[in-house]
Amino acid sequence: MAALPKSIARSYQIAQEQYASYGVDTEAALAVLEKISISLHCWQGDDVGGFENTGEGLSGGIAVTGNYLGKARTPDELRADLDMALSLIPGRHRLNLHAFYGEFGGKKVDRDAIEPKHFSGWIDWAKERGMGMDFNPTCFAHAKAADGATLSHAKKGIRDFWVEHCIRSREIGAVMGKALGSPTVTNIWIPDGSKDTPIDRMSPRQRLANSLDRIFAKPLPAKHHLDAVESKLFGIGSESYVVGSHEFYMGYAIKHQKLLCLDAGHFHPTEGIADKISSVLLYVPEILLHVSRGVRWDSDHVVTLDDALLSIAAELVRNRLLARTHIGLDFFDASINRIAAWAIGTRNTLKALLIALLEPSSLAAAEKEGDLTARLALLEESKCLPWGAVWDAYCERQGVPSGSAWLEKVRAYEKSVLSQRI
Ligand code: RNT
Ligand code: ZN
């Protein structure tokens, strides 16, 4: 382990003592944090563009705004940018890939024809880095999704197309999981919905349930592959009705013991996902999180260290649910440096987990004893504890920049690499 810079070592020592006086072992907290892998979403690097080069724009009620320089245009550029981002984030993490990021060698390979070989470049890249991978069928940005329906489409031919895409996606996910020695979570999200009031809300949901049954018909070994389903409240153009609502997928996931994906931006604006975790994990085996930040109508702002994020992390730690939770990120911002967006959102997610891991056990003890005064007093006082000093020490130990030093590295990369992409 490299020696810590003097001021960081000094601050850490003081922090360690202060935490110890609250009965908190900072080293034990860091040992847990080190083992947590966050799944970095590839799509932050190129504005959810993918590499099919069909000229099809983004669709499905999700949108990226901004025109910051240096968007990745090829798999190699995206991998280089991910390497850069990963060098700024302490710990070992995962890559979350969407199906339309396959490497198709300039050929048109439609979504119902994707194969594991189109993803071997990504698998090799992850393997070299000792990383796991997660996967997603891409049920948007395609002519067959243009009228706002995929797996729930009224036309059987369209449903069949997307069912085939999802079946292949699962199989590709299983190949990834096997190759990398860690189960791949393949998450299904579809944009299906309606801009205005539908008369028939039920038939599309019956069709979606039926399509999912077909997709999941073949069992895949859990040691290589896990299925997740993701709900949403509304999207741009599906304001009045979303087929795959929370109730729909919660029911489906419970009935079929699938993973439920909770996206932090997919609920009513004042509704957080933190409070849902301890309920749904009574009924589904595991969950997938899409750590994101909703702002008014947008569900995908870069994650900040806000109360919503702190509460999610606290729930996972307090209830010992980390082992049953797959933590993925889901945001996209093209108005700032894209690598900085990854660094900010991922570092914040880890910071929130660290803060939760450093929580004094006296809080829970006070609650157990019915001392609600002490519970509130300690909860508020613990917010002043010097977690930042522990974080800086952790970053330095892991060989990544502490404080805001990472920003200089991003600026240098922007100058030498990103600004050349014209
Ligand atoms: C969309 C969902 C979904 C997507 C990605 C690209 O609202 O959150 O997870 O963001 O699949
Ligand atoms: Zn999501």
Short mmCIF file of all heavy atoms in Angstrom, two decimals, residues 230 261 263 266 290 300 330, ligand 2:
data_model
loop_
_atom_site.label_atom_id
_atom_site.label_comp_id
_atom_site.label_asym_id
_atom_site.label_seq_id
_atom_site.Cartn_x
_atom_site.Cartn_y
_atom_site.Cartn_z
N GLU A 230 -37.57 -3.61 -15.40
CA GLU A 230 -37.54 -2.21 -14.92
C GLU A 230 -38.82 -1.45 -15.25
O GLU A 230 -39.21 -1.36 -16.40
CB GLU A 230 -36.35 -1.49 -15.57
CG GLU A 230 -36.23 -0.03 -15.16
CD GLU A 230 -35.06 0.69 -15.83
OE1 GLU A 230 -34.37 0.08 -16.67
OE2 GLU A 230 -34.83 1.87 -15.51
N CYS A 261 -35.96 -4.12 -10.96
CA CYS A 261 -35.07 -2.97 -11.11
C CYS A 261 -35.81 -1.72 -10.65
O CYS A 261 -36.87 -1.39 -11.16
CB CYS A 261 -34.61 -2.81 -12.56
SG CYS A 261 -33.68 -1.28 -12.85
N ASP A 263 -35.45 2.14 -10.63
CA ASP A 263 -34.73 3.31 -11.13
C ASP A 263 -35.17 4.51 -10.31
O ASP A 263 -36.36 4.80 -10.21
CB ASP A 263 -35.04 3.50 -12.63
CG ASP A 263 -34.25 4.65 -13.25
OD1 ASP A 263 -34.23 5.75 -12.67
OD2 ASP A 263 -33.67 4.45 -14.34
N HIS A 266 -37.76 6.98 -11.72
CA HIS A 266 -38.95 6.44 -12.38
C HIS A 266 -40.22 6.45 -11.53
O HIS A 266 -41.12 5.65 -11.76
CB HIS A 266 -38.69 5.02 -12.87
CG HIS A 266 -37.84 4.99 -14.10
ND1 HIS A 266 -37.64 3.86 -14.85
CD2 HIS A 266 -37.16 5.97 -14.75
CE1 HIS A 266 -36.86 4.13 -15.87
NE2 HIS A 266 -36.55 5.41 -15.83
N HIS A 290 -31.11 1.27 -10.48
CA HIS A 290 -30.60 2.25 -11.43
C HIS A 290 -30.47 3.54 -10.64
O HIS A 290 -31.45 4.25 -10.41
CB HIS A 290 -31.54 2.43 -12.62
CG HIS A 290 -31.24 1.48 -13.74
ND1 HIS A 290 -31.84 1.53 -14.96
CD2 HIS A 290 -30.35 0.45 -13.79
CE1 HIS A 290 -31.35 0.57 -15.73
NE2 HIS A 290 -30.45 -0.11 -15.05
N ASP A 300 -33.02 11.26 -15.53
CA ASP A 300 -31.65 10.79 -15.72
C ASP A 300 -30.56 11.83 -15.53
O ASP A 300 -29.60 11.85 -16.28
CB ASP A 300 -31.52 10.17 -17.12
CG ASP A 300 -32.50 9.03 -17.32
OD1 ASP A 300 -32.31 7.99 -16.70
OD2 ASP A 300 -33.47 9.20 -18.08
N ASP A 330 -27.60 4.98 -13.95
CA ASP A 330 -28.36 5.29 -15.17
C ASP A 330 -28.61 6.78 -15.25
O ASP A 330 -29.60 7.28 -14.72
CB ASP A 330 -29.68 4.51 -15.16
CG ASP A 330 -30.44 4.69 -16.48
OD1 ASP A 330 -29.84 5.23 -17.44
OD2 ASP A 330 -31.62 4.30 -16.55
ZN ZN B 2 -33.11 2.98 -15.81
#
